[in-house]
Amino acid sequence: MTAAPMMSAIAESVPARKGTPGGPWSDAWLDGIKGRTSSSSTVVTINDGFAMVFAAGFLNLNKECYGLGDHDLTAVVGLRHLRC
């Protein structure tokens, strides 16, 4: 699957943010981040899925130890590649 259909679907499903240039990419998904407690990480290797484990650990810890619910928490994992 190419990125074009996915980006088209995203563009149709989220309103354009004010003050951003037009184009095929949109950061409107940031408007959906509502959790008052959040964590973000960016990874450049699969590392046996540990990026997802770290995000799950953040969510589970805050739910179990602090009693926070899904509406209180946001975990974002950015996946990218290394430039050689």
Side-chain angles (χ1 to χ4, degrees):
M1 179 181 211
T2 65
M6 181 180 286
M7 294 314 298
S8 176
I10 291 171
E12 292 172 12
S13 65
V14 293
R17 294 180 77 159
K18 293 179 181 177
T20 58
W25 302 102
S26 171
D27 60 359
W29 65 272
L30 293 168
D31 294 333
I33 297 176
K34 304 294 184 199
R36 62 184 173 150
T37 303
S38 61
S39 170
S40 66
S41 58
T42 301
V43 297
V44 296
T45 61
I46 295 172
N47 195 18
D48 296 324
F50 277 105
M52 302 308 170
V53 172
F54 293 147
F58 162 78
L59 297 172
N60 291 335
L61 173 82
N62 281 283
K63 285 180 181 182
E64 293 173 14
C65 294
Y66 301 111
L68 299 176
D70 289 340
H71 62 283
D72 297 315
L73 301 167
T74 300
V76 176
V77 177
L79 306 173
R80 63 182 183 88
H81 64 87
L82 285 174
R83 287 193 155 172
C84 296

